[in-house]
C-alpha cells in the first residue's frame, strides 16, 4: 500500500508590504481583493485598469499564491512588458516563473513543448507576413488557377480572408458574401487554396500567427491529459482588454480555466471597436451568463479627464443599448473649458481652424506632443496635412503613411506622370507592373519597345496611345488588360491638351486601378476613399503639371518640415485614426470631420445595422475620452466633390446624443 505524503506550501518571504487600502480607491480595492472564482471587472476609460491588474497579481502573491500558478494574458507585447515590469516593481521577490504575455506568445510557449502532438516538431518556424505571402504564391501556383481573363485575389487579401475564418469561425461562403462579394466567382478556387495552404504549412513545419492560437486550442481540446496539466498549473488566470477577444481566444481562456474558474477578465465594453478584425464584444457582455457565479465590479473613477469632458462622454455612450451600465466620475476638479463644438464651412476651413488653434495653444504653453487630431478614416487627414506643412507645424502620423506617400496614391499618379512625361521610365514600369502577367522582365522589354518609338521623346502626347501600345508584345493573359490600359491613357488626353487633373485620376481609377485595388488590398474601401479625396484635392488645379508638382512636394521628405527632420524632434502634433489612438491620451484632442458619412462611416449608415452603428458610437466614445483638458469637435458643413458638386453635410448623429448644454458652440469667422 502506497504511503501518503502531503506537500506543504513553502513559507513566502519578501511580502510586498503594500497597503492596498491606501494605494487603491474603493472600487479598485474591491476588485483586487476579490476571493477566488470568476470575476468581471468593467474598467472605464482612464480608471486605472493596468493598476488594478498589477495590484491583483501582487495581492495574490501576498496571499501565498506561487508565481508559477498565475497566468496573465494581454494583447500587445508593450502591454505585457509594462505589466510585468510593474509587478516586479511592486513585489520584492522572484516572479520569473509567472507566465505573462500576449495570447500568441503563450500559445507559442505551449506549442514549443507539445508540437509533436499535432504533427509538427518543436523547432517549427513562425512565418511573418512576407513568409506567408511567399508560401501563398507557391500554393496558388501549384493550384494552376486560370487567371488569364480574371484577376485572382493577391496573397495579402487571401491571408486576411483565411485569418478571419480562423478567428471568427465564419464559413468562407458567408465571409465572401458579407465582406468580399466581388470574389464570389472565385469561391471554389479560394477554398482549394485554403486547404492546400494548411497542408503546405504542415509539410514545411511552419505556422503563421493565427496557428499559434488555433493549434493551441486544438491541442488542448484533443488532449485531456495536457488540458488538465495546464488547468492545474494556472490556478489564477487574468485577461486584459477582454472586450477585444475573438472566438478562439475566448474558448482558449475557458479551457485553461477549467473547473477551478479562478478567472479575472478586465475590459470595457464601451471601448470594443475591433469587430472588423474578429473581436467579439459578446465575450464580455455574456460573461455573467457563462459564469453564473461571477462577481462583477465596476471601476468608474476617471483620473484622466476633467469633469466637463467626462459628462459629455457619459452622455455620448448612453444611446447604445448593448452595454453595461456605468457612469464615469472625475477624480480631477472642474472649471476647465467646456468641450467645443466647431462647425466650419468646408474641409479647408476645418484644417485652418485646427492649425491656428494648435499654434495658439503652443503659445499658451501646451507642447505640440500633448496635442492630437483624431479622425475616423486616414484620408480625412489629407487637407490638414497640407495645412500643417504649409504653416511649418511638425506632425507625426500614427494611422499610416503620409497621405501622398501611400502606394495607391503613387500608383494612380504614375498614369499622369507618364502621360505628361513620356520619358519617365519609373512611372511607365510602375504602371505596367500593375497588370496581370507583367513582371519585371516584361516591363523592361515593354519599356524598350516604347522608348524606341518617336512618341517617347516628343513634347506632344500622341493622338492615340492605344495604336502604339497594341504594337508592343505582351503575354496572352495580359492582352485584354493591356488594351484597357491604352484606352485609359487615351482618356487622359484631349484635343486641347491634357484632361483636368481630377478627370485624369477618375479615368485611371475607373479604367484600370479599381480592379487592381480589389484584388490587391484587403482594405479596398479605405483606399478607394483615399483616391476620391485625391480627386477632390486635384480639382483645385487646372494645370496637370502644377498638380503633379504639388504632389511631389507633399510626398518629399528632404526639406519638408513634416518629414524625417521633424521626426528627430520630439515636439510634434499627433495625427491618428481613432483605432490607433485607443489606450493613449493627450491634454488637447481635436476630433475632426464629424459628419454623417464620415463619422459614422458611410458604409455603416448604408448597411442600416444597429450593431455596426453602436460600434461606431463606441469609436466616438473612445475618441473623446482620449482628452485630458480640452476637447474640440469639428465638422465641415460643405464637402466639395469634384464630380457631384458641393455636398451639404449633416452633422454627425452622434452629436445629437450630446446635450447642447454640455458643449460650447464656437462661431468661426474668416476668409478661407
Amino acid at each position: 500500500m502506497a504511503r501518503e505524503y502531503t506537500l506543504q506550501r513553502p513559507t513566502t518571504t519578501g511580502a510586498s508590504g503594500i497597503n492596498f487600502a491606501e494605494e487603491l480607491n474603493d472600487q479598485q480595492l474591491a476588485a483586487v481583493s476579490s476571493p477566488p472564482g470568476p470575476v468581471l471587472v468593467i474598467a472605464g476609460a482612464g480608471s486605472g485598469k493596468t493598476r488594478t491588474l498589477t495590484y491583483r497579481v501582487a495581492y495574490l502573491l501576498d496571499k501565498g499564491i506561487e508565481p508559477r500558478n498565475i497566468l496573465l494574458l494581454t494583447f500587445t507585447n508593450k502591454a505585457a512588458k509594462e505589466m510585468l515590469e510593474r509587478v516586479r516593481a511592486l513585489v520584492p521577490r522572484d516572479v520569473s516563473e509567472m507566465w505573462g504575455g500576449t495570447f500568441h506568445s503563450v500559445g507559442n510557449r505551449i506549442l514549443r513543448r507539445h508540437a509533436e502532438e499535432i504533427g509538427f516538431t518543436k523547432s517549427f518556424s513562425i512565418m511573418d507576413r512576407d513568409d506567408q505571402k511567399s508560401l501563398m504564391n507557391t500554393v496558388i501556383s501549384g493550384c494552376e488557377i486560370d487567371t488569364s481573363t480574371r484577376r485572382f485575389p493577391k496573397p495579402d487579401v487571401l491571408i486576411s480572408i483565411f485569418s478571419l475564418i480562423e478567428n471568427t469561425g465564419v464559413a468562407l461562403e458567408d465571409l465572401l458574401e458579407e465582406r468580399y462579394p466581388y470574389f464570389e466567382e472565385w469561391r471554389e478556387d479560394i477554398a482549394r487554396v485554403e486547404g492546400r495552404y494548411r497542408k503546405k504549412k504542415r509539410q514545411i513545419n511552419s505556422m503563421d500567427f493565427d496557428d499559434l492560437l488555433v493549434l493551441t486550442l486544438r491541442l488542448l481540446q484533443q488532449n485531456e491529459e495536457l488540458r488538465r496539466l495546464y488547468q492545474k498549473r494556472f490556478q489564477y488566470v487574468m485577461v486584459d482588454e477582454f472586450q477585444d477577444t475573438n472566438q478562439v481566444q475566448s474558448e482558449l481562456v475557458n479551457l485553461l480555466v477549467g473547473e477551478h474558474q479562478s478567472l479575472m477578465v478586465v475590459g470595457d465594453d464601451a471601448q470594443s471597436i475591433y469587430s472588423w478584425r474578429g473581436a467579439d464584444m459578446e465575450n464580455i457582455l455574456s460573461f455573467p451568463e457563462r459564469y453564473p457565479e461571477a462577481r462583477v465590479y465596476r471601476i468608474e473613477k476617471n483620473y484622466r479627464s476633467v469633469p466637463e469632458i467626462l459628462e459629455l462622454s457619459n452622455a455620448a455612450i448612453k444611446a447604445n443599448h448593448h452595454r453595461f451600465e456605468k457612469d464615469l466620475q472625475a477624480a480631477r476638479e472642474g472649471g476647465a473649458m467646456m468641450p467645443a463644438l466647431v462647425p466650419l464651412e468646408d474641409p479647408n476651413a476645418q484644417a485652418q481652424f485646427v492649425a491656428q488653434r494648435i499654434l495658439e495653444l503652443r503659445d499658451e504653453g501646451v507642447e505640440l506632443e500633448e496635442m492630437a487630431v483624431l479622425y475616423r478614416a486616414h484620408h480625412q487627414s489629407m487637407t490638414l496635412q497640407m495645412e500643417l506643412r504649409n504653416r511649418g507645424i511638425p506632425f507625426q502620423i500614427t494611422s499610416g503613411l503620409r497621405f501622398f506617400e501611400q502606394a495607391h496614391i503613387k500608383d494612380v499618379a504614375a498614369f499622369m506622370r507618364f502621360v505628361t512625361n513620356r520619358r519617365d521610365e519609373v512611372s511607365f514600369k510602375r504602371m505596367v507592373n500593375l497588370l496581370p502577367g507583367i513582371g519585371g522582365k516584361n516591363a523592361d522589354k515593354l519599356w524598350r519597345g516604347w522608348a524606341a518609338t518617336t512618341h517617347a521623346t516628343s513634347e506632344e502626347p500622341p493622338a492615340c496611345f492605344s495604336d502604339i501600345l497594341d504594337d508592343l508584345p505582351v503575354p496572352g493573359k495580359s492582352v485584354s488588360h493591356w488594351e484597357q490600359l491604352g484606352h485609359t491613357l487615351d482618356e487622359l488626353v484631349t484635343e486641347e491638351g491634357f484632361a483636368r487633373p481630377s478627370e485624369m485620376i477618375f479615368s485611371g481609377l475607373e479604367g484600370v486601378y479599381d480592379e487592381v485595388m480589389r484584388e490587391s488590398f484587403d482594405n479596398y474601401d479605405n483606399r478607394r476613399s483615399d483616391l476620391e479625396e485625391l480627386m477632390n484635392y486635384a480639382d483645385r488645379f487646372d494645370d496637370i503639371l502644377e498638380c503633379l508638382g504639388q504632389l511631389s512636394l507633399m510626398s518629399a521628405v528632404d526639406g519638408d518640415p513634416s518629414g524625417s527632420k521633424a521626426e528627430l524632434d520630439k515636439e510634434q502634433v499627433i495625427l491618428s485614426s481613432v483605432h490607433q489612438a485607443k489606450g493613449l491620451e493627450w491634454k488637447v484632442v481635436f476630433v475632426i470631420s464629424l459628419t454623417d458619412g464620415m463619422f459614422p462611416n458611410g458604409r455603416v449608415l448604408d448597411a442600416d445595422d444597429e450593431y455596426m452603428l453602436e460600434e461606431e458610437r463606441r469609436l466616438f466614445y473612445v475618441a473623446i475620452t482620449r482628452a485630458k483638458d480640452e476637447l474640440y469637435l469639428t465638422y465641415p458643413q460643405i464637402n466639395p466633390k469634384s464630380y457631384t458638386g458641393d455636398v451639404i453635410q449633416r452633422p454627425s448623429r452622434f452629436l445629437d446624443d450630446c446635450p447642447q448644454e454640455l458643449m460650447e458652440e464656437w462661431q468661426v469667422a474668416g476668409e478661407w
Side-chain angles (χ1 to χ4, degrees), residues 140-188:
I140 294 171
S141 177
C143 287
E144 299 180 345
I145 297 171
D146 180 15
T147 60
S148 59
T149 57
R150 299 173 297 163
R151 291 179 181 270
F152 191 68
K154 289 288 181 66
D156 263 332
V157 179
L158 292 173
I159 290 168
S160 295
I161 290 174
F162 299 160
S163 179
L164 281 169
I165 291 172
E166 293 281 24
N167 287 303
T168 64
V170 67
L172 172 62
E173 181 178 359
D174 295 334
L175 180 65
L176 293 182
E177 180 181 355
E178 179 182 350
R179 298 202 186 195
Y180 304 91
Y182 38 85
F183 290 146
E184 177 59 33
E185 61 178 331
W186 291 110
R187 179 163 54 86
E188 292 184 3

Side-chain angles (χ1 to χ4, degrees), residues 203-270:
Q203 288 176 352
I204 66 173
N205 196 37
S206 298
M207 300 183 191
D208 57 33
F209 282 98
D210 292 323
D211 291 327
L212 298 179
L213 299 180
V214 173
L215 295 181
T216 301
L217 176 62
R218 189 173 303 160
L219 172 70
L220 297 179
Q221 287 173 331
Q222 297 174 353
N223 193 315
E224 182 179 358
E225 183 179 356
L226 280 180
R227 184 168 68 248
R228 292 188 178 277
L229 172 70
Y230 284 102
Q231 288 172 348
K232 183 177 181 180
R233 169 158 190 167
F234 300 132
Q235 297 174 17
Y236 289 85
V237 177
M238 285 169 277
V239 184
D240 185 24
E241 302 285 11
F242 193 69
Q243 78 280 351
D244 293 336
T245 53
N246 59 35
Q247 177 182 321
V248 175
Q249 290 161 333
S250 178
E251 291 181 11
L252 184 57
V253 168
N254 293 338
L255 274 183
L256 289 172
V257 169
E259 296 178 359
H260 65 71
Q261 295 200 340
S262 286
L263 167 66
M264 172 179 282
V265 301
V266 181
D268 183 5
D269 56 292

